[in-house]
Each structure stands twice: as structure tokens, then as C-alpha cells.
């Protein structure tokens, strides 16, 4: 006997002070790292003046990534955006981001061009799957088109909209807004999300 899909409801994700608000309605993978939720990159290869600058590519490893030329058969992901400083207080990654790579500071002592400050790179896989795409159930951001399910009281977690995830989808993001008042009156749930 099949299970009935839950009815659609509206959910808004509230963004304040650097957070975004997303309005969601009911529905029709993380990378390994250092415990912070972000894998790290440590070894520059000299393909650009800044390690993992926007538009450059990397390999895909379990605990570290290496910069490689994008046409290389080893290239697995491209940098959509690169920011210096901690992610918690930095700019939000683009919506198409599949995973965020923490970049350790590198001090070669010879010049600023050969060194790299601590930061993070917003990465997009060169080939599918793209967990950051709307409805796919993964990625570091909650964007319009994503679905979420209740993890526990007061906490929702992104899940695949097609029901293939560990939890059945309960709400779908319909849009992101900066202020809760911009969500439609039918909004059933408001959730704060970070960048």
C-alpha cells in the first residue's frame, strides 16, 4: 500500500542581520571535512595568483582538495566565489553552490601573491549530482525550490523533494525574502537560515 504525500503548506525562512528569509510550502549531501561541516584545502599548485580563486578548479578528496587546471581529468569542482575570513561572518555563497570548502591560511613568507589568507570557496561540481540545486536535498544553502522536514522540535533539515531522502518532505521553499512580512499570508512555518 502506498503512502500519501503530505499536503502542501507554506514555510518561511526568516533572514535577519545577514540571514535570509525564505517562504516555503509543503512538497508535491554533505562533504567530509574537519568537523566544522566544511572540508579544507591546503595545497596550492600555482594555477593562479590566489589559491582557488573564482573560476579555478579543484580535485575532490576526503579531507583535502588540490587546485588543478580545469581541463584536467582530475578536476571535479569549480569555484563559484572565493571569500577571505570566516564563513560565519562572510558573504553568502551563490545559490548554485554544491559544497563549501574551507581554505586554510597559507604563509609562504616570500610574497602576498604566493600566500593565501584563511577563507572559504563556494564550489560547484563539474558533473552531476548537484546537491545544491533546488529540491535535491543537499548543499550548504536553503534556496527557493528546496524541501525541508522536521528533524526535531524547532529544527528542520533539508531533504530531497522527490522523497528519496532519509525523511519525507514536509515543506517547500517558495521564495526567499529579507523580512517575514514579505511572505504570503498562507505561510505555515518560519525558520531562520544562515548563509
Amino acid at each position: 500500500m502506498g503512502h500519501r504525500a503530505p499536503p502542501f503548506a507554506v514555510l518561511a525562512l526568516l533572514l535577519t542581520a545577514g540571514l535570509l528569509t525564505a517562504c516555503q510550502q509543503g512538497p508535491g549531501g554533505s562533504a567530509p571535512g574537519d568537523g566544522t561541516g566544511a572540508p579544507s584545502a591546503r595545497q596550492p599548485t600555482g594555477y593562479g595568483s590566489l589559491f582557488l580563486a573564482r573560476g579555478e578548479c579543484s580535485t575532490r578528496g576526503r579531507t583535502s582538495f588540490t587546485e588543478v587546471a580545469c581541463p584536467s581529468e582530475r578536476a571535479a569542482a569549480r569555484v563559484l566565489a572565493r571569500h577571505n575570513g570566516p564563513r560565519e561572518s562572510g558573504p553568502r555563497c551563490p545559490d548554485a553552490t554544491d559544497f563549501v570548502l574551507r581554505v586554510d591560511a597559507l604563509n609562504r613568507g616570500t610574497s602576498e601573491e604566493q600566500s593565501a589568507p584563511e577563507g572559504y570557496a563556494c564550489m560547484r561540481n563539474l558533473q552531476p549530482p548537484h546537491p545544491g540545486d533546488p529540491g535535491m536535498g543537499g548543499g550548504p544553502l536553503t534556496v527557493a525550490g528546496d524541501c525541508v522536514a522536521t528533524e526535531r522540535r524547532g529544527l528542520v533539515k533539508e531533504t530531497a523533494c522527490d522523497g528519496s531522502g532519509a525523511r519525507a518532505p514536509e515543506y517547500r521553499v517558495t521564495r526567499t525574502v529579507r523580512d517575514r512580512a514579505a511572505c504570503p499570508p498562507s505561510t505555515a512555518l518560519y525558520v531562520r537560515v544562515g548563509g
Side-chain angles (χ1 to χ4, degrees), residues 150-161:
T150 303
E151 178 87 359
R152 65 179 186 265
R153 183 177 167 89
L155 178 68
V156 294
K157 188 172 184 178
E158 190 175 332
T159 190
C161 290

Side-chain angles (χ1 to χ4, degrees), residues 23-109:
C23 305
Q24 299 185 1
Q25 74 180 34
S30 67
D34 61 1
T36 65
S40 63
R42 294 189 180 94
Q43 310 231 351
T45 57
Y47 287 100
S49 60
L50 175 66
F51 178 53
L52 289 180
R54 183 175 183 220
E56 293 181 340
C57 294
S58 76
T59 60
R60 179 90 185 219
R62 285 214 170 275
T63 59
S64 67
F65 290 60
T66 303
E67 185 178 285
V68 295
C70 290
S72 166
E73 64 184 33
R74 295 179 54 220
R78 182 180 305 271
V79 180
L80 298 179
R82 168 77 156 77
H83 304 290
N84 295 335
R87 180 177 170 206
E88 297 76 27
S89 59
R92 180 178 164 96
C93 283
D95 286 353
T97 301
D98 286 329
F99 65 98
V100 178
L101 183 61
R102 184 178 56 84
V103 180
D104 292 336
L106 174 69
N107 184 358
R108 290 198 162 164

